[in-house]
Amino acid sequence: SSAYRWMMCPGSVRLCATVPKRTTGYASEGTAAHELCERCLRDGSEPAEHFGEVITADGSGFTVDEKMVAAVTVYVDKVRGDLAKFGGRLNVEKSFDLSWLYPGMFGRNDASIEPDGLFGVLRVYDYKNGKKPVVAKDNSQCMYYALGALGEANPCCVDSVEITIVQPNCWGKDPVDGWTVSTRDLYAWGRDVLLSAAKATEAPDAPLRSGDHCTFCAAIGICPKRR
């Protein structure tokens, strides 16, 4: 989930390597919510069935309360609804490797649905637990996820990828936001924009740039550009 940061700030990779990993309570709560999302999609349970359970994330315990149940239900219903409507093969928390594009790039998708037949639509889902608005259109982080789900050789022969961000806790926007990108455009973005950004992080003089991507950067406290 750090791709957006290092694409905007190539120097952050080298700087973050010098400090311990930073975890906030909000991030840990999000991790717990993701765990609940995964459990429900894997075992077919409803979020409400886990009410009162304690989920451990980053060493802290988070109780599944009404707020978490309501938020996760939006996500689970969206994924299950699309699966029932369009069919396909559901993948939950599936890891991917982008080393075919550039060494060391990898990730994991919250969920994706591969089409049953050829030349269909690959659907990729990203659950956001935070309140800061995130949109799907031209979202570099989600395009990174989508490229990982698509793979090097497009084995499903899909024509396009539908990216869906589910963000139930954010006010002022639709909790379900989707955007469709053609396979051709996604590969072109990967080989041009993403590859160039990845190479830039390896430069000895990789620049530091401040912006909203600094929010979850582990090196924010020692960053000279931020100061």
Side-chain angles (χ1 to χ4, degrees):
S1 61
S2 62
Y4 174 63
R5 188 204 72 227
W6 57 255
M7 288 183 71
M8 298 299 295
C9 179
S12 65
V13 173
R14 197 179 304 275
L15 194 61
C16 284
T18 67
V19 298
K21 183 179 179 181
R22 182 173 70 98
T23 301
T24 67
Y26 294 113
S28 298
E29 183 180 18
T31 300
H34 274 84
E35 172 67 23
L36 181 57
C37 290
E38 179 182 0
R39 290 183 187 180
C40 292
L41 289 181
R42 286 195 185 280
D43 64 20
S45 61
E46 296 296 333
E49 296 177 44
H50 299 272
F51 181 80
E53 293 182 7
V54 176
I55 298 177
T56 301
D58 302 318
S60 299
F62 295 88
T63 301
V64 178
D65 56 12
E66 292 181 358
K67 178 183 175 182
M68 187 182 293
V69 167
V72 172
T73 296
V74 176
Y75 171 78
V76 171
D77 285 352
K78 171 59 179 174
V79 176
R80 287 176 177 166
D82 283 355
L83 185 62
K85 182 178 180 179
F86 302 108
R89 298 179 296 279
L90 174 64
N91 298 306
V92 180
E93 293 292 336
K94 183 178 180 180
S95 298
F96 59 81
D97 183 4
L98 283 174
S99 60
W100 54 268
L101 185 62
Y102 193 77
M105 291 201 304
F106 61 93
R108 185 171 62 183
N109 279 308
D110 292 343
S112 64
I113 298 177
E114 300 175 5
D116 285 325
L118 301 179
F119 311 112
V121 177
L122 172 64
R123 294 178 167 82
V124 178
Y125 303 86
D126 186 24
Y127 175 80
K128 301 289 189 186
N129 198 63
K131 297 180 179 180
K132 183 179 179 180
V134 181
V135 298
K137 188 177 187 302
D138 294 321
N139 185 297
S140 57
Q141 186 71 59
C142 288
M143 291 173 74
Y144 182 96
Y145 291 147
L147 197 60
L150 188 61
E152 179 179 9
N154 189 10
C156 295
C157 298
V158 299
D159 292 321
S160 59
V161 180
E162 182 181 81
I163 296 170
T164 299
I165 291 178
V166 181
Q167 192 177 16
N169 296 320
C170 178
W171 293 94
K173 67 181 287 285
D174 192 322
V176 178
D177 181 34
W179 176 60
T180 301
V181 57
S182 71
T183 302
R184 180 186 61 186
D185 289 346
L186 186 58
Y187 275 128
W189 174 84
R191 295 191 175 99
D192 182 13
V193 180
L194 182 59
L195 181 56
S196 295
K199 289 180 177 179
T201 66
E202 299 290 347
D205 58 347
L208 294 167
R209 300 189 182 101
S210 62
D212 63 353
H213 52 273
C214 297
T215 304
F216 301 109
C217 180
I220 189 172
I222 64 169
C223 178
K225 187 66 174 180
R226 184 69 176 183
R227 287 201 296 269

